[in-house]
Amino acid sequence: MGSSVLIWIFSALTLALLCSSQDFVPADNHLINCGSDSDTKVGSRVFSADKSDSKLLSTPNHVTASTSTKPTPDDSSPLYQTARIFDKPSTYTFSINRQGRHFIRLHFYPFVFSTYNMSQASFDVSTPNHGLLSKFTVDGIKVKEFSINVTSSSLAITFAPSANSFAYVNALEVMSVPDNLIEEGAISYNPKADFPGVVEQAMETTYRVNMGGQLLNYANDTLWRTWVPDDEFLLGESSRQTINNVRAVTYVSDGSTEEVAPRSVYGTASEMASAGTSNTNFNVTWQFNVDLGFQYLMRFHFCDIRQNGSLNQLVFDVYVNSLLAIKDFDISSTSSNVLGAAYYRDVVTPLISDNMLRVSIGPSNQGSYPDALLNGLEIMKMNNSMGSLSGSAALSPTKHGSKSKVWAIIGAIVGSVIAVFFVVCLLLTFRRRRQQEAMGHSKTWMPISISGHSHTTGSKFSNGTAASNNLQYRIPFVQVADATNNFDESRVIGIGGFGKVYKGVLNDGTEVACKRGNPRSQQGLAEFQTEIEMLSQFRHRHLVSLIGYCDEKNEMILIYEYMQNGTLKSHLYGSEYPSLGWKERLEACIGAARGLHYLHTGYAKAVIHRDVKSANILLDENLMAKVADFGLSKTGPEIDQTHVSTAVKGSFGYLDPEYFRRQQLTDKSDVYSFGVVLFEVLCARPVIDPTLPREMVNLAEWAMKWQKKGQLEQIIDSSLAGKIRPDSLRKFGETAEKCLAEYGVDRPSMGDVLWNLEYALQLQEAVVPGEPEDNSTNMIGDLSPQVNNFNQVDSSVSVAPFGVSHIDDISNSSMSKVFSQLVKSEGR
Ligand SMILES: *[C@@H]1O[C@H](CO)[C@@H](O)[C@H](O)[C@H]1NC(C)=O
Ligand SMILES: *[C@@H]1O[C@H](CO)[C@@H](O)[C@H](O)[C@H]1NC(C)=O
Ligand SMILES: *[C@@H]1O[C@H](CO)[C@@H](O)[C@H](O)[C@H]1NC(C)=O
Ligand SMILES: *[C@@H]1O[C@H](CO)[C@@H](O)[C@H](O)[C@H]1NC(C)=O
Ligand SMILES: *[C@@H]1O[C@H](CO)[C@@H](O)[C@H](O)[C@H]1NC(C)=O
Ligand SMILES: *[C@@H]1O[C@H](CO)[C@@H](O)[C@H](O)[C@H]1NC(C)=O
C-alpha cells in the first residue's frame, strides 16, 4: 500500500513537471489578430481582436481587411484571414510589465482587398530605437521575428508606408522571453575576442534550423518558435547522416535549457556520414544567404545523442566561411560532463562582406575518433552601429556614393590584409624550411631556438612548426620590465628553484605573473623551453595559460595569467589564506583532474606532467583550479611502447614508487602523485613532515594505513570535521587509495578519477538541500575512459595551430579576467 501511494505521488509529480515544462508563461504577452473583431485561438494561445477603437493603435488612416482565401488549402490558421492596412504612419503601443528581452513577431500574408493589392505594399517597420524592416514587400506568407531588450515601460511599433504605397500586418506578437535566452559569453572568431554586449543587441532571427530533424512549429516549442529542417541548406546531402535520439537529451544546470531549445531540436542531429571510419576526411557544410554590412550572432546547439557516444569521444572543429569558429570542440569536456547534455555556443561573425555564411563541421586533428555533429543552428542578425536591423538608406545616413567608397576602402583593407598574410606565410614557410634543414631529423627535447643559446638545436616535432609558431608569444624585455616595475622586490609573489615570480600588469591592464629564471641555469633552460612548448600547445581551462615569454639578453621569463588565489597548497596549510570547505576542495580536485585528464588524453601522445603536487595547482578568483608548471612534462609513450625511460624527476613525497624503481614513466605516475594530493587535501598537512612521529612522516603511507582500516575520518583536517558526508568521504578515500596502488596498471586513469570525484561531490551535495548556487561541477556521467584510439591520428599534424584560435577555451567566462600566479614554493 505504501508503495502504491509513493507511485501515485511520483506520477503526480512527474505529470506536474511535464506540464510545467511545457508552459513558459511570458510576463508580457500581447497577441493581436490585426483587423479582426473577434478573439482567435491558435494552439493554446489567444490572439485578441484588434478593434478599430483599440487603445493600442494610434493611426490617422487605416482599413481593416479580410479575405476568405487561405494561404494554403490546408492552412487552418485564422490569423491570415484578416489584416490591418495603413495609409499613413501608424503605431501600436504595448505596455511592458517586465523589462528585458522580448520577441516581436510580425505576421504577413498578402491578399487583395478592395483596391489594396498587398503584394504591392512597401513599408518600413521600426521601434523608437531600432529600424526593423525597410522597403519591405512580401509575396507569400511570412513571419518576421525580432528579439529586443526592452528597457522602457512601453514598446511602440510603427508601420510607415513608402511613398505612394501602404503598409499592412496580419498579426502581431510581443512577448517576454526568459532572461537567460540571450546571455553574455559570445565570442567573435575574427578577430578572435570576447564579444561583450549581446544582451543589449537587437536581433532578427534570420534562420533557425533543426539539424537532422523535422519542421517544428509553435506547438513543439515552449516559446512558440519555428525550426526548419536543414536539408535545403546542405551542400552535399551525402556528406551527412541524420540521427534521432530524443530520449538521450538531458538538460543540466550549466548547459542549455528547454526554453533555449526544445528536446526535439537537441534530440536530432546531422552527423558526418561514415563517422569513425577512415573515410572521413571531409566537412559537412551548410550555406545561408545573409545581408551585407551586418554582424550575425550564430548559436550552435550541440548534444551528443549518438548511440555509442560514451565509447567515442567527440572532438571536432566548426568553421564559418572557412575560418575556425570553434576549435577542438569537445562536448564531453563542456562544463556539464553529462553524456547527452544539451549545450550551446554563441559565435559572432565579423561584418558580412559576402552575401553568405557557410558553416562547416569536420573532424579535429585532436580527436581520436573522426566525427562531428550539429543539432541546431540559429543565425541572428544583430543591429548595426546605427541601431538598425534593416539596410535602409532612410535609417542610415550613408548615401549611395559614400557607400561605394566605404566598400572600396573595405576592399583595399581586405586586399592588403590578404597580401600581408601571404607574405607572412611565405616567410614562415621559408623559415621553417631553413630550420628543418638546420636541425636535420634530430629529435631532442629542446623545442625552440633561444637567442644567446646556440646549443639549442631541435624540436621534437619533426616538422618544426612549434618553433615558428611560438614566436608570437615573444614579449620584449622592456615590456616585461615595465609590467613589473623593473622587477621590483615588492612585486615578488613566489620564489622557487627556477627563480622569482613577480606580479605584473601589462599595458592593457592585464594582470600577469612573471616567472624570471636564474640566468645560465642549464636545467632551467630545458624546463623553460618545455614549458613554452607545452603551454603554447595545450590550452584548456584547467591548465594555466601562457601569455608570453621573453628570451632577450639571456633572460628566461615566462608570463602567465595571474591566478588570484594562489596555490591549492596555500589554502590547505602554512599560510594565511582561509581554509576551504569540503565542496570547494572537491571542486578544486575535480578541476585539476580535468586538466590532467586533458593532458593525458587530449592529444595523440599522452603528456605526462611529472610534477603533480598541490603547489602546482593554482586557484583563480572563483577558486577554479588550473594545473601549472609544465617544466618537467614529457610526452608519453607512443602506442606501441608502454613507457618513457627517463631520469627520475619530480617532487619528494609525491613520487610514484614504481617510477622510482623502474625509471619508467607513464601517465599513471601522475595518477599516483594526484592520489597524494587527494590525501593532502583531505588531511591538510605537508606530504612529508619530518617533525612528526615516524609513522606519520610520509602522508601517503600514513593515510593509506587509515584508509585500509576504514577509519579515514580519524585523520581528516579538523576544520572539516562533521562537514563531510560519510558516503562522500568513502568515495573520496577509495579514489585516493586506488591512485596510490603499488603498480601503475592497477591505478585508475585520470578519467576514472575525475568521474569518481564528481560522484563524491554528488554524494556530498545530496545532503545539502536548497543550495541553488551549486551549478558548476556536480554532474555525473561517465564519458571519460575513452578508447585511446590514437592510431587514427596522424601525429605529424598534431601540433596545435594555436596561432589560429582556441576560441572554445577563451569562452570560459572567467578566462578574460582571470590571471594566474605561479608560485614555486619548492625548489628542485
Ligand atoms: C497583385 O500584385 C502582384 C504583384 O505585383 C501581381 O502579381 C498580382 O497579379 C496582383 N493581383 C491583382 C489581383 O491585381
Ligand atoms: C537588457 O539590457 C540591459 C542593459 O541595457 C542589461 O542590463 C540587461 O541585463 C538586459 N536584459 C536582458 C534580459 O538581456
Ligand atoms: C509537433 O507538434 C505536433 C502537434 O502537437 C505533433 O503532432 C508533432 O508530433 C510534434 N512534433 C515533434 C517532433 O515533436
Ligand atoms: C555501437 O557499438 C556496438 C558494439 O561496438 C556496435 O555493434 C553498434 O553497431 C554501434 N552502434 C552504432 C550506432 O554505432
Ligand atoms: C573543412 O573546411 C575548412 C574551412 O573551409 C578547411 O580549412 C578544412 O581543410 C576542411 N577540412 C577538410 C577535411 O576538408
Ligand atoms: C547595436 O546598437 C547599439 C546602440 O543602439 C550599439 O551600441 C551597438 O554597437 C550596435 N551593435 C552593433 C553590432 O553594431
Side-chain angles (χ1 to χ4, degrees):
M1 196 208 120
S3 70
S4 71
V5 168
L6 273 182
I7 288 172
W8 186 86
I9 292 176
F10 182 71
S11 4
L13 276 177
T14 317
L15 201 67
L17 272 176
L18 277 177
C19 293
S20 66
S21 69
Q22 284 298 312
D23 293 316
F24 164 75
V25 181
D28 292 312
N29 198 21
H30 301 284
L31 310 174
I32 313 288
N33 185 9
C34 302
S36 166
D37 50 16
S38 60
D39 293 355
T40 308
K41 198 157 186 218
V42 179
S44 57
R45 301 196 297 168
V46 176
F47 282 70
S48 340
D50 159 42
K51 307 229 169 55
S52 297
D53 57 358
S54 160
K55 285 194 290 285
L56 291 174
L57 185 61
S58 74
T59 170
N61 199 351
H62 62 90
V63 175
T64 59
S66 64
T67 179
S68 55
T69 41
K70 294 179 170 179
T72 56
D74 55 347
D75 189 310
S76 54
S77 170
L79 293 181
Y80 301 124
Q81 315 266 271
T82 60
R84 190 176 286 278
I85 293 173
F86 313 105
D87 286 321
K88 293 271 159 54
S90 307
T91 301
Y92 278 96
T93 308
F94 300 99
S95 67
I96 297 297
N97 295 322
R98 189 169 189 281
Q99 300 188 359
R101 198 157 279 277
H102 287 68
F103 275 153
I104 299 176
R105 291 199 189 101
L106 308 175
H107 297 253
F108 301 104
Y109 168 61
F111 54 85
V112 178
F113 179 78
S114 171
T115 59
Y116 296 98
N117 181 346
M118 297 183 198
S119 302
Q120 288 169 354
S122 164
F123 53 96
D124 292 354
V125 182
S126 59
T127 67
N129 296 325
H130 305 287
L132 304 182
L133 298 170
S134 76
K135 301 273 185 303
F136 182 67
T137 60
V138 227
D139 54 7
I141 192 163
K142 187 116 201 156
V143 181
K144 286 286 195 177
E145 182 185 279
F146 302 91
S147 135
I148 288 182
N149 180 347
V150 182
T151 51
S152 53
S153 58
S154 69
L155 176 68
I157 302 177
T158 299
F159 293 81
S162 307
N164 303 320
S165 191
F166 63 95
Y168 76 98
V169 61
N170 302 73
L172 261 172
E173 301 175 38
V174 174
M175 61 176 272
S176 308
V177 300
D179 285 344
N180 63 4
L181 188 64
I182 300 290
E183 283 186 312
E184 293 296 359
I187 301 286
S188 132
Y189 63 85
N190 184 30
K192 185 183 90 182
D194 285 342
F195 186 89
V198 277
V199 298
E200 288 161 32
Q201 294 288 316
M203 298 182 214
E204 176 186 342
T205 309
T206 314
Y207 296 97
R208 182 175 283 135
V209 188
N210 181 15
M211 295 288 172
Q214 317 161 335
L215 175 70
L216 302 175
N217 64 18
Y218 61 84
N220 311 104
D221 184 295
T222 49
L223 299 180
W224 297 277
R225 289 166 296 203
T226 301
W227 300 76
V228 300
D230 61 333
D231 311 62
E232 63 172 301
F233 309 107
L234 258 179
L235 299 181
E237 178 77 22
S238 61
S239 63
R240 68 98 191 246
Q241 61 198 27
T242 60
I243 39 179
N244 184 329
N245 185 6
V246 178
R247 274 193 331 195
V249 179
T250 313
Y251 289 99
V252 299
S253 59
D254 51 354
S256 188
T257 68
E258 196 134 20
E259 266 79 49
V260 168
R263 270 170 210 284
S264 32
V265 169
Y266 285 111
T268 62
S270 282
E271 184 190 19
M272 288 184 73
S274 61
T277 68
S278 56
N279 185 23
T280 43
N281 196 22
F282 61 87
N283 291 319
V284 186
T285 302
W286 297 263
Q287 183 172 307
F288 304 90
N289 292 327
V290 290
D291 292 339
L292 285 177
F294 287 92
Q295 288 187 273
Y296 284 80
L297 175 68
M298 306 183 74
R299 173 165 288 184
F300 292 89
H301 296 275
F302 300 107
C303 184
D304 190 354
I305 53 169
R306 298 168 305 153
Q307 279 321 334
N308 287 343
S310 58
L311 294 180
N312 302 310
Q313 193 190 10
L314 189 57
V315 184
F316 58 96
D317 291 333
V318 178
Y319 303 89
V320 178
N321 286 350
S322 298
L323 294 173
L324 262 174
I326 306 177
K327 167 132 185 68
D328 300 331
F329 180 65
D330 174 359
I331 295 192
S332 62
S333 80
T334 57
S335 34
S336 44
N337 265 324
V338 173
L339 200 64
Y343 187 78
Y344 71 85
R345 272 290 169 82
D346 286 342
V347 165
V348 174
T349 70
L351 273 185
I352 298 294
S353 57
D354 167 16
N355 274 103
M356 78 186 51
L357 279 177
R358 216 177 246 169
V359 176
S360 304
I361 56 172
S364 142
N365 53 29
Q366 299 279 312
S368 50
Y369 181 85
D371 194 0
L373 63 70
L374 186 56
N375 305 63
L377 174 62
E378 291 172 272
I379 300 182
M380 292 169 276
K381 185 201 252 186
M382 299 197 298
N383 69 256
N384 62 19
S385 54
M386 311 297 301
S388 177
L389 285 161
S390 55
S392 146
L395 286 156
S396 116
T398 325
K399 292 281 177 314
H400 206 74
S402 58
K403 219 178 204 167
S404 49
K405 215 185 271 168
V406 168
W407 286 115
I409 293 170
I410 290 176
I413 293 173
V414 169
S416 33
V417 167
I418 291 174
V420 168
F421 180 75
F422 269 106
V423 171
V424 169
C425 284
L426 273 177
L427 283 177
L428 283 182
T429 320
F430 181 65
R431 196 194 152 91
R432 185 175 305 170
R433 193 164 295 156
R434 272 214 332 224
Q435 275 172 349
Q436 259 165 335
E437 278 158 14
M439 71 181 80
H441 290 94
S442 71
K443 282 196 176 183
T444 78
W445 290 102
M446 296 190 182
I448 58 165
S449 155
I450 305 268
S451 57
H453 297 277
S454 54
H455 56 272
T456 305
T457 48
S459 163
K460 83 186 171 64
F461 301 101
S462 47
N463 62 7
T465 44
S468 34
N469 281 340
N470 280 331
L471 292 176
Q472 72 170 64
Y473 282 90
R474 202 176 253 167
I475 294 182
F477 181 76
V478 282
Q479 216 169 315
V480 186
D482 234 31
T484 54
N485 199 10
N486 255 325
F487 301 98
D488 192 299
E489 285 300 305
S490 69
R491 299 284 191 97
V492 173
I493 49 178
I495 299 176
F498 182 90
K500 288 181 180 165
V501 185
Y502 300 82
K503 181 175 175 182
V505 182
L506 297 181
N507 281 341
D508 63 357
T510 309
E511 289 182 291
V512 292
C514 304
K515 181 167 145 188
R516 187 185 197 189
N518 297 325
R520 283 179 296 282
S521 135
Q522 275 311 305
Q523 185 198 1
L525 176 64
E527 291 179 20
F528 179 65
Q529 293 165 339
T530 310
E531 181 117 12
I532 293 173
E533 184 185 357
M534 291 296 168
L535 280 177
S536 53
Q537 288 176 78
F538 291 93
R539 293 207 161 269
H540 187 270
R541 81 152 127 180
H542 292 292
L543 300 183
V544 73
S545 297
L546 181 71
I547 289 177
Y549 69 90
C550 170
D551 59 0
E552 273 168 51
K553 309 187 201 157
N554 278 357
E555 287 286 349
M556 293 188 290
I557 304 171
L558 292 164
I559 297 122
Y560 306 88
E561 52 173 335
Y562 177 69
M563 298 277 283
Q564 202 134 327
N565 274 309
T567 66
L568 173 60
K569 183 178 177 176
S570 65
H571 287 266
L572 295 173
Y573 50 87
S575 88
E576 68 274 31
Y577 276 116
S579 89
L580 301 174
W582 182 234
K583 186 184 157 198
E584 288 162 324
R585 293 188 201 194
L586 274 175
E587 282 174 346
C589 293
I590 289 169
R594 275 209 187 120
L596 290 171
H597 175 54
Y598 173 77
L599 277 183
H600 290 174
T601 61
Y603 184 58
K605 287 179 213 162
V607 169
I608 303 165
H609 186 285
R610 287 216 299 173
D611 201 10
V612 175
K613 56 183 177 183
S614 57
N616 280 341
I617 296 170
L618 304 181
L619 300 175
D620 76 5
E621 63 198 4
N622 302 316
L623 295 175
M624 185 170 92
K626 300 191 183 201
V627 178
D629 206 344
F630 294 77
L632 292 180
S633 317
K634 291 214 165 175
T635 41
E638 311 256 1
I639 318 302
D640 49 349
Q641 291 167 277
T642 52
H643 60 81
V644 176
S645 229
T646 165
V648 173
K649 286 186 178 158
S651 295
F652 206 47
Y654 295 93
L655 258 187
D656 169 12
E658 190 182 39
Y659 168 44
F660 197 75
R661 278 196 307 272
R662 303 174 54 202
Q663 320 235 319
Q664 288 173 346
L665 187 64
T666 71
D667 51 1
K668 295 297 178 66
S669 312
D670 283 351
V671 173
Y672 182 93
S673 309
F674 191 72
V676 180
V677 172
L678 293 181
F679 278 131
E680 199 183 352
V681 161
L682 183 68
C683 306
R685 52 150 281 192
V687 292
I688 301 284
D689 189 344
T691 64
L692 291 171
R694 198 177 193 162
E695 77 276 8
M696 292 176 68
V697 169
N698 184 318
L699 170 64
E701 279 172 22
W702 184 59
M704 280 295 270
K705 204 176 285 169
W706 288 94
Q707 165 65 17
K708 290 209 165 110
K709 277 197 278 186
Q711 297 178 353
L712 199 55
E713 69 279 1
Q714 303 284 332
I715 59 163
I716 64 173
D717 181 2
S718 55
S719 78
L720 293 175
K723 295 187 181 139
I724 309 183
R725 211 192 156 198
D727 284 349
S728 179
L729 178 61
R730 190 174 38 75
K731 191 81 216 164
F732 188 86
E734 282 168 13
T735 309
E737 179 181 3
K738 286 190 198 130
C739 291
L740 296 189
E742 176 91 30
Y743 298 103
V745 288
D746 299 328
R747 294 176 205 147
S749 69
M750 265 336 281
D752 291 330
V753 175
L754 174 56
W755 188 88
N756 280 291
L757 290 176
E758 281 175 338
Y759 190 46
L761 178 61
Q762 277 262 314
L763 292 170
Q764 178 69 16
E765 305 266 272
V767 84
V768 197
E771 238 189 14
E773 299 298 300
D774 61 28
N775 54 0
S776 46
T777 34
N778 55 339
M779 301 304 149
I780 43 170
D782 190 358
L783 43 103
S784 42
Q786 58 175 66
V787 189
N788 284 345
N789 199 358
F790 287 143
N791 17 4
Q792 298 193 5
V793 178
D794 176 0
S795 58
S796 70
V797 294
S798 53
V799 179
F802 52 80
V804 199
S805 70
H806 295 291
I807 281 171
D808 58 327
D809 298 308
I810 294 170
S811 69
N812 296 316
S813 53
S814 48
M815 173 75 190
S816 51
K817 276 184 243 132
V818 181
F819 307 102
S820 78
Q821 162 189 357
L822 205 98
V823 179
K824 291 258 322 202
S825 49
E826 289 168 353
R828 297 189 277 266

